Amino acid sequence: MSLTPVNVRISEIFGNCTFNLNVMKEKLPKQVFKRFLDIIEKGRKLDAETADAIAHAMKEWALSKGVTHYTHWFQPMTGLTAEKHDAFIQFDSDDHISVIERFSGSQLIQSEPDASSFPSGGMRSTFEARGYTAWDPTSPAFIIERGRGSILCIPSAFISYHGGVLDMKTPLLRSMEAVSKAALRVLKLFGNKSVYRVKSSVGAEQEYFLVDHRHADKRLDIKICGRTLLGARPVKGQEMEDHYFASIKDRVLDFMQDFEFELLKLGVPCKTRHNEVAPHQFEIAPIYEEANIAADHNQLVMETMKRIAKKHDFYALLAEKPFAYVNGSGKHCNWSLIDTDGNNLLDPGQTPEENLQFLVFLMASLMAVEKHGGLLRAAIASAGNDHRLGANEAPPAIMSVFLGEMLSQILDQIESGKVKDAREKSFLDMGISKLPKVSKDQTDRNRTSPFAFTGNKFEFRAVGSSSSISIPVAVLNAAAAESIHELADQIEILTKKTKNFESAVIETVKKAIEKTKKVRFEGNNYSEQWLKEAKSRSLPIAKNTPEALKFWIDKKQNSCLINLGILNEEEIESRYHICFEQYNKTIEIELATMLKMLSRQVLPSAYIYQKEIASSVEAALQLREALNDISPAAAGTDKSSSLEDLDIMPQVKFFKEYAGAVSKLQIAIEHLREVKSELAAEEDLIKKADIIVKKALPAMQSARATADFLETVTDRECWSLPTYSELLFWD
Ligand code: ADP
Ligand code: MG
């Protein structure tokens, strides 16, 4: 089944459902369009007249496409998107009889969804619950076609009545501004006069699983939690490595075509797709875009994926660890800085001057991780990602940077002041500054690093697959901005002192190399040794979400957010609470789901089978006794038909083992109930998280082990839950 029309060219449908610059250029008066470009490119203030003209054109365009309603589309701190629809209507006159379609500039710019039920971490008490949304003109409005409805979505920020930040987009936009300002400073120091803005670019590779509806529908854990909480190891997992990059099966490809068709219409530049490592795990990667647009688009990727998967009788699982025993899913955020002349600031240049500039931005990135590794760890922390980080399949929970052999050598040489001609091609003495020539790294990638340099960008690999990219990227931008300013300060001071710009930069880079050495790690991040080594380097280590979240309120860690005006203390505090709340709620729901499955499915199945074993053993015993009672004459001399020497003990032993496990499960269920009540009674968020880590998670793990054992020895006919083999190998 495919919903996508055949014979369409991507270039013809791309962005058809977006009010993008092409459409605006065509629909808006020339002057208005020019003013709009100044607003989004140069930060000019939006005036009422321009807003009215854009609103009118946007409405007319939307109506021509069958749209009836509009919504300010925003991203509250649930990590999802939110919308509240308004029809484009207004009474025509005071008689309140007929209506006309209207949409004003002020309606476009701002609305008050009165969304009082979104998490605000105590920042917004419900009696003055109003929050309002504000249009983000840099991200194109788009039309979502859902069911029979077509809705115009206006990407927006969500702010509390008193101006406090309540969403994911605002800090991201502010961080983009901050990093642009900082980077511009350095570019100006290097004599660049043409550049007026620096964009943070992001390409988010999204991993996911597809499961067949027939099986997933029978699993409460998949339906409620988006991941399995129970399930024994399947006979085959990913060990044959036969799924990675394998040919994509027809049914999946049909889904991908439809899914991408929808995204392409929404202007999401889907570029690459492939089978990932685990069975029925896949990846979609778009071409990179400016961070806020990439973030909006990633939300659309996740939502559209789930929606279109349903049409194909699939569940799309975005959880970080939907299945034990096979790989989990991540969202690799490729990140760089690109100026308005189109130069990638993390691309090693052709000339020594360009390379010097590259080194400044490279060092700023290292400093960002060195100073704010804890905050970065906090930004990616979630209950789901805890299963993935450090599980030998994903970057560990310790933030370090991988640079590759060549860059590492170059930095070592600059640090020691000795520039060698180690490799003729790449290590040339440039005369003017004795700077080694930096060219693209040819070395192998280090898949185990959470933050790896990949030639002209960093790949932040520790982000969870279900997470919004906004906060991880905002923190990255903020930390980078702070470091760029710090380097610019030093360059300025040293230049004044020495009157030699180049040597001032080299000296600054050199100092930064020394300072950031401890976050550089080229080895295997999965190894036990690294954990020890990281401890000795006193890098921030957080084993789980509650430990990681503490970095939010660590003053050293969050200073970049506060000093650059990205989030204030109150906003950080509220975010900290929301993250704890979300962590707690997620685990409480998982615990309740597991409890329900164990008591209503697993245990009943086990009791049925226990009874079967019991009656079977009993029947065998009875038969033996009965036969023994018969006179030897009746049994004849045929020894083989006699049951006298039949050893029933192995069967009894199995029964004992089985019944033992059933009792153990019964006890585990009771224990889970107790922990559940204890959690429910605890109101303090931090204490509750503590109970989760110390009691709930171990209790769940132990209950699962018993249930999974029972699964492996119970008659398939008695076992009501679909197994891992069915969930992972559904075709
Ligand atoms: P590779 O396979 O070498 O990692 P790709 O070119 O396939 O690199 O890119 C992977 C992802 O990184 C894509 O989403 C791509 O758009 C993104 N990407 C490439 N260059 C940049 C950049 N300068 N800034 C941000 N993301 C980038
Ligand atoms: Mg990848």
Side-chain angles (χ1 to χ4, degrees):
M1 177 201 63
S2 181
L3 310 165
T4 310
V6 281
N7 292 333
V8 282
R9 276 188 187 218
I10 290 180
S11 58
E12 278 166 18
I13 53 142
F14 185 74
N16 274 359
C17 289
T18 65
F19 194 63
N20 58 24
L21 288 179
N22 286 341
V23 181
M24 292 178 97
K25 191 171 179 186
E26 187 195 316
K27 308 268 178 204
L28 290 171
K30 236 189 183 138
Q31 273 311 310
V32 176
F33 182 65
K34 198 183 158 305
R35 258 182 274 151
F36 179 73
L37 285 184
D38 283 350
I39 289 162
I40 59 165
E41 284 291 322
K42 305 203 168 139
R44 178 191 160 137
K45 280 249 166 307
L46 176 67
D47 58 278
E49 194 192 332
T50 309
D52 272 333
I54 295 171
H56 177 74
M58 198 187 276
K59 178 204 71 184
E60 288 301 314
W61 169 78
L63 293 179
S64 75
K65 290 186 167 280
V67 171
T68 51
H69 290 68
Y70 69 91
T71 179
H72 284 83
W73 183 78
F74 59 103
Q75 294 160 40
M77 289 192 275
T78 53
L80 306 169
T81 61
E83 54 192 38
K84 179 184 170 194
H85 303 175
D86 274 299
F88 276 120
I89 54 163
Q90 187 169 305
F91 278 118
D92 194 12
S93 56
D94 285 343
D95 58 13
H96 283 208
I97 293 171
S98 53
V99 295
I100 53 164
E101 274 101 1
R102 268 223 63 188
F103 188 49
S104 68
S106 55
Q107 281 170 314
L108 165 65
I109 294 170
Q110 190 172 319
S111 91
E112 254 182 63
D114 194 18
S116 55
S117 294
F118 286 117
S120 71
M123 231 175 39
R124 189 183 52 155
S125 43
T126 21
F127 61 85
E128 50 110 352
R130 275 175 301 174
Y132 64 86
T133 53
W135 176 38
D136 167 12
T138 56
S139 182
F142 57 89
I143 296 170
I144 290 268
E145 294 158 333
R146 227 184 271 152
R148 283 194 294 129
S150 287
I151 299 111
L152 173 70
C153 297
I154 301 160
S156 302
F158 182 43
I159 298 159
S160 86
Y161 192 59
H162 297 296
V165 177
L166 291 174
D167 71 342
M168 305 273 195
K169 189 189 258 284
T170 312
L172 177 61
L173 289 172
R174 287 181 182 167
S175 77
M176 290 163 63
E177 208 41 58
V179 80
S180 171
K181 225 171 170 180
L184 269 186
R185 240 185 102 189
V186 169
L187 294 182
K188 297 266 180 280
L189 287 178
F190 273 87
N192 191 322
K193 294 201 174 71
S194 57
V195 168
Y196 53 87
R197 202 156 68 85
V198 171
K199 304 174 185 186
S200 43
S201 56
V202 175
E205 303 168 40
Q206 176 75 55
E207 292 179 337
Y208 62 97
F209 279 83
L210 289 179
V211 200
D212 190 284
H213 245 230
R214 280 173 300 155
H215 307 304
D217 268 341
K218 297 191 193 123
R219 300 270 316 207
L220 196 62
D221 46 4
I222 291 187
K223 287 170 80 171
I224 303 286
C225 312
R227 65 185 211 94
T228 59
L229 302 169
L230 302 169
R233 183 190 280 277
V235 285
K236 176 175 181 266
Q238 64 192 41
E239 52 280 87
M240 301 296 284
E241 291 165 354
D242 49 359
H243 195 256
Y244 190 54
F245 281 12
S247 76
I248 302 172
K249 296 191 178 119
D250 290 9
R251 186 173 161 202
V252 174
L253 200 55
D254 273 354
F255 153 76
M256 285 178 170
Q257 288 290 109
D258 287 350
F259 164 44
E260 287 179 23
F261 180 71
E262 291 298 304
L263 289 175
L264 290 164
K265 283 194 294 180
L266 292 168
V268 181
C270 312
K271 171 85 176 157
T272 314
R273 61 191 181 200
H274 65 81
N275 280 14
E276 259 298 334
V277 173
H280 290 121
Q281 187 188 27
F282 308 93
E283 179 180 302
I284 176 168
I287 300 174
Y288 66 88
E289 298 175 281
E290 201 166 356
N292 64 322
I293 300 176
D296 285 354
H297 282 173
N298 183 252
Q299 293 290 349
L300 287 176
V301 165
M302 294 195 285
E303 286 175 14
T304 309
M305 181 192 293
K306 286 191 189 155
R307 197 161 56 81
I308 302 299
K310 282 225 165 102
K311 291 192 195 287
H312 285 261
D313 294 325
F314 285 132
Y315 269 93
L317 304 184
L318 283 159
E320 285 75 12
K321 191 74 185 172
F323 300 99
Y325 316 113
V326 294
N327 270 16
S329 299
K331 180 142 49 197
H332 298 177
C333 288
N334 295 271
W335 171 88
S336 189
L337 297 170
I338 298 178
D339 69 25
T340 37
D341 285 346
N343 299 311
N344 180 349
L345 305 182
L346 285 173
D347 204 347
Q350 300 299 320
T351 65
E353 289 80 9
E354 281 172 4
N355 276 333
L356 203 52
Q357 185 186 296
F358 158 74
L359 284 171
V360 172
F361 287 105
L362 182 76
M363 291 327 295
S365 314
L366 280 167
M367 283 163 69
V369 181
E370 197 270 324
K371 281 187 81 173
H372 300 288
L375 194 64
L376 284 165
R377 173 69 184 88
I380 53 150
S382 70
N385 217 10
D386 277 2
H387 300 289
R388 181 177 159 259
L389 296 179
N392 267 20
E393 61 178 65
I398 307 160
M399 291 299 141
S400 70
V401 185
F402 169 85
L403 289 179
E405 197 184 327
M406 186 190 292
L407 263 187
S408 297
Q409 279 186 21
I410 289 171
L411 295 194
D412 290 346
Q413 288 177 18
I414 297 173
E415 189 190 2
S416 67
K418 288 185 219 129
V419 177
K420 284 180 268 169
D421 276 357
R423 284 188 211 162
E424 275 180 73
K425 216 165 63 192
S426 44
F427 290 82
L428 291 178
D429 182 349
M430 286 315 191
I432 55 155
S433 57
K434 287 215 178 292
L435 190 71
K437 181 170 160 60
V438 187
S439 59
K440 269 210 175 150
D441 199 318
Q442 315 294 338
T443 55
D444 256 3
R445 300 222 176 153
N446 184 335
R447 291 265 147 221
T448 69
S449 174
F451 197 72
F453 188 69
T454 52
N456 61 359
K457 62 188 186 290
F458 276 97
E459 197 170 328
F460 188 12
R461 300 209 182 105
V463 183
S465 49
S466 68
S467 153
S468 153
I469 65 169
S470 297
I471 298 300
V473 174
V475 169
L476 189 52
N477 279 340
E482 185 193 73
S483 304
I484 297 170
H485 277 303
E486 203 177 311
L487 292 174
D489 287 346
Q490 284 172 25
I491 294 172
E492 279 174 357
I493 293 169
L494 284 174
T495 310
K496 230 184 219 162
K497 223 163 87 197
T498 62
K499 308 270 177 270
N500 183 335
F501 175 70
E502 265 164 23
S503 66
V505 179
I506 292 185
E507 195 49 37
T508 304
V509 166
K510 206 170 148 184
K511 277 199 190 132
I513 294 174
E514 285 159 20
K515 259 179 50 192
T516 56
K517 231 176 164 175
K518 71 173 193 186
V519 287
R520 274 163 55 195
F521 184 63
E522 302 289 302
N524 179 4
N525 283 253
Y526 300 165
S527 69
E528 275 296 315
Q529 261 161 312
W530 170 229
L531 184 64
K532 276 194 209 130
E533 164 100 23
K535 275 185 191 152
S536 73
R537 293 187 190 187
S538 62
L539 291 177
I541 298 174
K543 289 195 300 291
N544 51 40
T545 296
E547 281 181 26
L549 291 180
K550 305 242 156 83
F551 292 123
W552 272 121
I553 51 166
D554 177 325
K555 287 202 169 8
K556 258 194 175 153
Q557 291 289 337
N558 68 25
S559 59
C560 56
L561 297 174
I562 293 178
N563 297 340
L564 292 163
I566 290 161
L567 288 172
N568 63 30
E569 257 173 75
E570 194 200 358
E571 288 161 351
I572 290 175
E573 182 84 17
S574 80
R575 224 153 269 262
Y576 168 74
H577 281 119
I578 289 170
C579 290
F580 260 102
E581 200 169 69
Q582 266 169 354
Y583 174 79
N584 293 348
K585 282 181 181 164
T586 303
I587 308 284
E588 281 188 278
I589 291 169
E590 288 189 350
L591 193 151
T593 306
M594 182 187 259
L595 199 49
K596 198 156 234 178
M597 289 170 75
L598 291 176
S599 354
R600 302 187 59 191
Q601 287 177 287
V602 175
L603 201 57
S605 295
Y607 273 128
I608 290 172
Y609 192 50
Q610 178 181 265
K611 196 171 162 193
E612 269 188 32
I613 311 169
S615 37
S616 160
V617 174
E618 194 187 3
L621 283 166
Q622 273 175 9
L623 184 62
R624 191 174 66 174
E625 262 166 43
L627 280 176
N628 286 345
D629 285 349
I630 301 173
S631 66
T637 50
D638 183 3
K639 269 249 175 234
S640 65
S641 62
S642 155
L643 286 183
E644 212 170 327
D645 58 349
L646 174 65
D647 181 6
I648 301 205
M649 282 330 280
Q651 293 181 41
V652 174
K653 208 171 138 204
F654 172 61
F655 173 75
K656 202 172 157 187
E657 192 184 3
Y658 195 91
V662 174
S663 300
K664 202 169 158 192
L665 186 62
Q666 186 76 66
I667 293 168
I669 288 174
E670 271 150 35
H671 181 47
L672 280 176
R673 275 201 194 105
E674 283 162 24
V675 179
K676 184 169 178 264
S677 312
E678 192 178 341
L679 282 173
E682 182 56 69
E683 280 177 15
D684 183 275
L685 288 174
I686 316 291
K687 286 188 191 151
K688 195 186 267 225
D690 201 47
I691 301 175
I692 285 178
V693 171
K694 295 208 176 100
K695 293 189 185 167
L697 295 175
M700 287 168 75
Q701 204 177 4
S702 137
R704 173 178 185 158
T706 309
D708 289 356
F709 164 73
L710 284 168
E711 184 195 315
T712 57
V713 290
T714 300
D715 177 2
R716 183 67 194 88
E717 295 297 311
C718 296
W719 199 258
S720 60
L721 280 177
T723 64
Y724 264 29
S725 299
E726 287 158 338
L727 292 168
L728 286 168
F729 301 95
W730 41 254
D731 60 343

